[in-house]
Amino acid sequence: MRVTFCCDDTRPDAWLQGLRTALPDAEVDIWAPGSPQADYALVWAPPQRFIDEQPGLKAMFNIGAGVDALLPLCLPPGLPVYRLEDAGMAVQMAEYVCQAVIRFFRGLDGYEADMAQGLWQHRPNPRRADCPVGVMGLGRMGERVARTLTVFDFPVNGWSRTPHAIDGVRGFSGTRELDAFLAGTRVLVNLLPLTPDTENIIDARSLGLLRSGAYVINVGRGGHVVDEDLVAAIDGGHVSGALLDVFRTEPLPEGHPFWAHPRITLTPHTSARTLARDSVEQIVGKLAALVRGETVTGRVDLRRGY
Ligand code: OXD
C-alpha cells in the first residue's frame, strides 16, 4: 500500500513518522509532481495537479475539519473524502471560545485598561441573562463549544442547517429561524463550515439583528464575515468588538483595517490546531477499517460542502 502526504504549509516530519510507525508495511512519502500512484492520501489544500496525477486514490483524508479548500477542485466522482472528526481540536476550540466569552462578559479588557492607569475600581456586575451566546454551526466542535458554555450557566442558543438537540441549548435551524436566533444573541460565535450558502452570512443585516452591544467571535472561516460590515457595525457602536481567528486571506494582509482596530482582537488561525499524533491515529484507524471493507464516519458530502 502507498500513502502520500500533500500538505504544503504543514511540517511533515511528525506525520510521516506517525504514519510509518502505524503502517510499517506501507510506502509513505511526500507527494511531488510525478510521484508514483498512491492508494491513500492525506491532504490539506492540495493543488488540482495532485488530483489529476493521482486518479487511482481509494480515499483521501483531509487533515482538518473544514474542507472548503477542496470544494473548488475537480475531484474524481465517487472518490471518498474524509475530514478529521475532533481529533483533539474540539477541546481546544471550547477553551478558546469560552475564554473569549468570559473575557467579554466579565469586562476584563476594561479592568486591564483601568489597572494599567493605576485605577483600582469595580465596574458594574454583569448579568448572565443579558449575555446570551449564540453558536452558529453545531458539528463536533460547535456542539462541544455550546455544551461547555452551558457549564458556566450562560444562556446558549444554537443554530444549524438542520435541527440538533443539545441539552441546555435552545436550538434554531434553517434560514427560517436564523433571524430569531440572531435577535436572541449577544455574543455570536461562528463555527459554520464555509459553503456557498454560508459565505458572507455575517453581514450588515445579520449584525444589525444582534442584541445591542454585541460581540463577535469568528473561528469558522474568514469568508463568513463581510469585513467592511463588521468594522462599520463596531464603529457605529451596535457591535462592541470582535475576536477574529480566521480571515479571507491568511496571513491577514498588511494594512487590512482589522490590524489596527482598537476593538478587534486578532489571533493567527490558532483556535484549534490540528494535532499530528491524534490525527494520524484517527486516520490510520479509518484507513484500516476501509481496507477491511467497513464503513467509516466523517465522510464529506462534497455537494453539501462539509
Ligand atoms: C480546520 C482548521 O479546518 O484548522 O481544521 O481550520
Side-chain angles (χ1 to χ4, degrees):
M1 179 203 307
R2 183 175 280 276
V3 180
T4 195
F5 185 79
C6 179
C7 314
D8 238 10
D9 66 351
T10 306
R11 275 194 235 132
D13 304 1
W15 293 87
L16 296 182
Q17 199 183 12
L19 288 167
R20 287 181 180 137
T21 308
L23 301 167
D25 297 330
E27 302 273 358
V28 178
D29 61 15
I30 299 182
W31 178 82
S35 287
Q37 176 65 54
D39 301 295
Y40 297 97
L42 276 65
V43 301
W44 180 254
Q48 182 64 45
R49 179 164 183 186
F50 167 79
I51 305 293
D52 296 342
E53 286 192 11
Q54 295 288 322
L57 288 177
K58 296 181 181 131
M60 196 159 86
F61 296 92
N62 184 62
I63 65 160
V67 294
D68 42 296
L70 300 179
L71 300 183
L73 298 176
C74 178
L75 298 172
L79 171 67
V81 177
Y82 298 90
R83 63 186 141 77
L84 284 182
E85 296 179 285
D86 187 343
M89 286 191 284
V91 66
Q92 296 178 63
M93 196 55 103
E95 71 201 4
Y96 181 97
V97 170
C98 287
Q99 65 80 30
V101 171
I102 291 165
R103 189 170 178 86
F104 168 73
F105 174 64
R106 296 292 301 267
L108 294 181
D109 283 343
Y111 280 115
E112 214 169 271
D114 291 349
M115 296 304 263
Q117 292 183 60
L119 277 177
W120 181 283
Q121 64 181 9
H122 285 145
R123 289 163 173 258
N125 266 343
R127 283 181 61 236
R128 231 165 276 270
D130 294 336
C131 194
V133 184
V135 179
M136 292 176 106
L138 298 172
R140 289 280 180 116
M141 291 205 261
E143 176 168 347
R144 177 75 180 250
V145 165
R147 280 190 198 286
T148 311
L149 285 163
T150 66
V151 171
F152 295 101
D153 293 348
F154 288 108
V156 182
N157 302 321
W159 182 79
S160 49
R161 196 177 60 92
T162 52
H164 268 71
I166 303 174
D167 265 1
V169 176
R170 182 163 173 223
F172 296 81
S173 61
T175 325
R176 238 168 21 95
E177 291 182 358
L178 180 59
D179 289 5
F181 162 81
L182 293 166
T185 289
R186 175 94 186 276
V187 179
L188 181 66
V189 181
N190 174 46
L191 287 127
L192 287 168
L194 183 63
T195 69
D197 288 341
T198 63
E199 194 172 1
N200 299 328
I201 193 164
I202 303 176
D203 60 1
R205 197 193 82 87
S206 47
L207 290 166
L209 287 170
L210 296 172
R211 289 204 181 178
S212 169
Y215 191 74
V216 174
I217 300 172
N218 188 20
V219 285
R221 287 288 185 257
H224 288 123
V225 173
V226 179
D227 296 0
E228 314 77 77
D229 291 4
L230 177 61
V231 170
I234 296 175
D235 290 345
H238 182 66
V239 172
S240 63
L243 168 63
L244 308 175
D245 185 53
V246 286
F247 308 93
R248 282 176 186 268
T249 307
E250 294 182 5
L252 183 65
E254 210 183 308
H256 189 289
F258 288 164
W259 276 115
H261 201 291
R263 307 214 58 88
I264 298 181
T265 305
L266 310 174
T267 53
H269 200 145
T270 195
S271 50
R273 305 283 289 272
T274 299
L275 305 175
R277 188 189 301 216
D278 300 49
S279 308
V280 166
E281 194 180 312
Q282 181 175 111
I283 290 169
V284 166
K286 288 186 180 185
L287 202 154
L290 288 176
V291 170
R292 291 194 300 270
E294 295 166 11
T295 339
V296 297
T297 58
R299 183 159 177 183
V300 176
D301 177 340
L302 290 160
R303 272 169 317 166
R304 201 180 57 175
Y306 56 97

